[in-house]
Amino acid sequence: FEYVDVLEAVVDYTRLPSATQRPFVMLELGAGFGFWTLTAHAALRQLLPAAKYEYVLAEVDTHKLPVLHIILNHNRVSLRNATIIHAAVGDRDEKEGVLQNGNPGFYAVHPCDPQHADFAPRPCETKGYLVPRDQRNHSRSIRNGQGVPADVVSLPTLLKNFSRVDLIDMDILGSEWPL
């Protein structure tokens, strides 16, 4: 279904009378390696080669971010028009509000604060993250291979710069429901 949604969004955009005046805007939340952005970009270039675009890709896995930059570059996606954000998408904005487990590519992201402790209490307790943010010792956790902290960014924050969005692809590890 995602192929249909992505391609349908691009086709709908190209049929708009304003398509040459405004950019195609897409957010890929939980971007991984940007597969759906690249799919949309390829379709957009096929149907309307001169179209403007703006992409926002949010990814919490630090190991994917350098590769994501390379992949976008190799696929001729201008990084002037693609914003890559190292963050988890959630129900609030918080600096270092989640902890990604230390395994590259392993999807264990824990919202480690007293407000969300019921989601993953053991990993957060073990890593010492069920304490106020200003009392957390991130450098110790990183040195011990216990995880990498990342910011949490809310959907309203991601959308605030856009008057119209053509597509949001969201694969954020079960955090879709609270949003």
Side-chain angles (χ1 to χ4, degrees):
F1 291 112
E2 281 180 289
Y3 275 112
V4 173
D5 292 338
V6 169
L7 298 175
E8 186 175 54
V10 172
V11 168
D12 288 349
Y13 165 80
T14 62
R15 290 180 176 166
L16 292 173
S18 62
T20 57
Q21 291 137 20
R22 72 163 188 86
F24 175 80
V25 177
M26 177 178 172
L27 283 71
E28 187 171 3
L29 312 178
F33 296 112
F35 182 80
W36 298 112
T37 299
L38 295 175
T39 301
H41 190 71
L44 188 61
R45 289 291 166 248
Q46 282 283 308
L47 296 173
L48 198 60
K52 299 173 189 169
Y53 57 90
E54 290 185 45
Y55 304 136
V56 175
L57 298 95
E59 176 56 47
V60 71
D61 189 339
T62 56
H63 297 88
K64 292 180 180 166
L65 297 177
V67 178
L68 184 55
H69 279 91
I70 293 167
I71 289 171
L72 292 175
N73 188 44
H74 282 300
N75 285 276
R76 296 186 178 99
V77 175
S78 170
L79 294 179
R80 289 187 314 256
N81 303 83
T83 303
I84 299 172
I85 301 169
H86 173 229
V89 179
D91 59 356
R92 68 197 186 286
D93 295 304
E94 183 183 4
K95 182 122 178 91
E96 297 185 341
V98 295
L99 179 71
Q100 181 205 346
N101 205 4
N103 303 319
F106 181 65
Y107 299 112
V109 178
H110 307 295
C112 296
D113 59 49
Q115 174 183 341
H116 293 87
D118 54 324
F119 289 128
R122 287 196 181 137
C124 295
E125 274 178 34
T126 310
K127 294 172 182 15
Y129 275 70
L130 286 182
V131 296
R133 185 173 30 115
D134 60 345
Q135 294 175 21
R136 298 178 193 160
N137 187 344
H138 291 303
S139 58
R140 183 189 56 161
S141 293
I142 294 167
R143 271 196 316 275
N144 295 338
Q146 293 178 319
V148 177
D151 296 345
V152 178
V153 63
S154 67
L155 194 54
T157 297
L158 292 169
L159 294 172
K160 72 180 177 187
N161 294 325
F162 304 106
S163 59
R164 181 172 179 157
V165 174
D166 297 288
L167 179 65
I168 298 175
D169 177 77
M170 192 180 319
D171 184 4
I172 53 174
L173 311 173
S175 292
E176 297 89 352
W177 294 111
L179 300 181

